[in-house]
Amino acid sequence: MAVNLLDFDLDGLTAFCATLGEKPFRAVQLFRWVHQRGVADFDAMSDLAKSLRGKLAGAAVVRSLPLLSEHVSADGTIKWLFDVGQGNAVETVYIPEADRGTLCVSSQAGCAVGCRFCSTGHQGFSRNLSTGEIIAQLWHAEHRLRGTGGRPAGERVIDNVVMMGMGEPLQNYGALVPALRTMLDDHGYGLSRRRVTVSTSGVVPMIDRLRDDCPVALAVSLHAPDDTLRDNLVPLNRKYPIAELLDACQRYLDRAPRDFITFEYCMLDGVNDTPEHAQALVQLLKARIHCKLNLIPFNPFPASGLKRSPRERVLAFARVLQDAGLVTTVRKTRGDDIDAACGQLAGEVQDRTQVQERMARLRLLPAVGGREVIAIVPVATGAPS
Ligand code: SAH
Ligand code: SF4
């Protein structure tokens, strides 16, 4: 089968071109056509020698993901649902803001971590996405949106990528790193390291590897100030408890593009949101690590049995942290009218690991129900215009 060029970072593409007898500068040209201009048709790559175009036509393709639906929220947020085969689908969300465009990218079909408050986690795990499937989400979004909404034709739309869609990116490390490199490459998307964020529930050894291989901004999903509560909310904590996680965060800061780690904290009514929890968080973090706190109002879904903390409690919690000198923001919820908000991304996942059954056995969940089916609006598929 023809290789998919979206699977390669520039080094990979250079090696592939070498197998065709082509010099490295040809790989640069090709990489720019694909990622900077969004071109999938080799015949349209006018400055590539005809002989190379001929070789590529026989050996390679630029294959994005088949699009199942596109939903546009009242606030301008866009959610795409992509088919990744065998009954699985993943979601990608574009979030426009006054000064920038952010893309929230998925790394897996489902997720094996199984956090209690996360819709993806409740669905179980099917499989890792390939590098090509990760980068296809950015390729599609960037080139689909370029020139729309009154933007000048060549102007970049997405300048911020957050690996906060479906899946645990650090449990798909091998595919993640070439995708990150393509995002950062000046011949690719040219994104700043500070504007590419990997969000993790805390896979400690992989935080160390990311620091060595491809340091980008790091967000860590903390959600609790102590191990007992975190064990219950984020099952991975039983393997990598908070002290080990914070040590890894500290090591990461040596090479991080920003001088702080962002801790995400999902506010769950009556579970982790009292002033005592806030004080415990201050004790845990204050003297230990340079960080920022991002409080996320919980986005409910029926099977979780959990509720969003009332706004006043979120603000009171934030005040305790701020008064202690911890920089704290409360995340604005975007796109919730189209189920595009944090933790609502469920796609369609064929659970191959019986996560749902295991959770139910552990009585972590009051009930395991299906999620309401996403309305699928057919749209044109194929290369974005
Ligand atoms: N697996 C990674 C990245 C994807 S989840 C991680 O856990 O960090 C991205 C963010 O959404 C995480 O901070 C996660 O805790 C948060 N999240 C998950 N479910 C949520 C929900 N129902 N409401 C609000 N935030 C949620
Ligand atoms: Fe997986 Fe992140 Fe959801 Fe936890 S919050 S289940 S790690 S996607």
Side-chain angles (χ1 to χ4, degrees), residues 107-174:
S107 56
Q108 298 180 311
C111 181
V113 176
C115 300
R116 266 182 75 183
F117 48 83
C118 174
S119 177
T120 306
H122 275 235
Q123 291 227 314
F125 175 72
S126 180
R127 71 167 174 87
N128 282 328
L129 299 188
S130 65
T131 298
E133 290 170 331
I134 296 172
I135 216 68
Q137 299 170 60
L138 174 58
W139 188 83
H140 175 88
E142 176 65 40
H143 299 295
R144 156 83 180 79
L145 296 177
R146 215 176 263 185
T148 63
R151 296 180 197 92
E155 191 178 291
R156 181 164 82 186
V157 179
I158 292 156
D159 28 35
N160 220 29
V161 169
V162 293
M163 297 301 304
M164 294 186 186
M166 296 167 68
E168 169 47 59
L170 294 187
Q171 288 189 338
N172 185 15
Y173 189 80

Side-chain angles (χ1 to χ4, degrees), residues 117-118 164-165 167-168 199-200 221 223 264 266 296 298-299 342-343:
F117 48 83
C118 174
M164 294 186 186
E168 169 47 59
S199 177
T200 180
S221 296
H223 310 308
E264 294 159 286
C266 182
I296 315 174
F298 171 58
N299 293 308
C342 301

Side-chain angles (χ1 to χ4, degrees), residues 198 206-212 214-218 246-258 260-261:
V198 168
M206 294 301 151
I207 293 176
D208 285 327
R209 283 189 61 186
L210 190 67
R211 179 200 55 184
D212 295 336
C214 192
V216 292
L218 187 68
L246 295 185
D247 285 349
C249 290
Q250 188 61 51
R251 292 192 293 275
Y252 195 87
L253 281 178
D254 292 348
R255 299 204 45 204
R258 293 181 180 272
F260 60 88
I261 302 287

Side-chain angles (χ1 to χ4, degrees), residues 70 164-165 259 325 337 373 380 383-384:
E70 176 180 283
M164 294 186 186
D259 63 357
D337 55 336
V373 174

Side-chain angles (χ1 to χ4, degrees), residues 305-355:
L306 296 163
K307 287 193 299 223
R308 176 184 288 190
S309 304
R311 178 117 190 115
E312 317 78 68
R313 207 166 321 135
V314 176
L315 295 179
F317 195 95
R319 237 181 343 265
V320 172
L321 302 177
Q322 278 158 350
D323 288 349
L326 291 173
V327 177
T328 306
T329 50
V330 178
R331 188 177 294 174
K332 255 205 324 231
T333 293
R334 300 286 304 261
D336 45 2
D337 55 336
I338 56 166
D339 277 359
C342 301
Q344 290 186 323
L345 305 184
E348 296 290 327
V349 172
Q350 306 300 312
D351 182 15
R352 303 197 195 286
T353 57
Q354 280 80 48
V355 167

Side-chain angles (χ1 to χ4, degrees), residues 2-45:
V3 299
N4 183 5
L5 298 189
L6 297 185
D7 276 320
F8 295 131
D9 59 12
L10 185 53
D11 282 351
L13 190 63
T14 305
F16 174 70
C17 284
T19 68
L20 301 177
E22 297 289 340
K23 298 228 160 56
F25 81 95
R26 290 293 181 201
V28 171
Q29 279 181 308
L30 184 52
F31 201 71
R32 293 170 68 107
W33 273 110
V34 173
H35 296 291
Q36 292 190 343
R37 303 178 70 168
V39 173
D41 175 5
F42 299 128
D43 276 339
M45 302 181 179

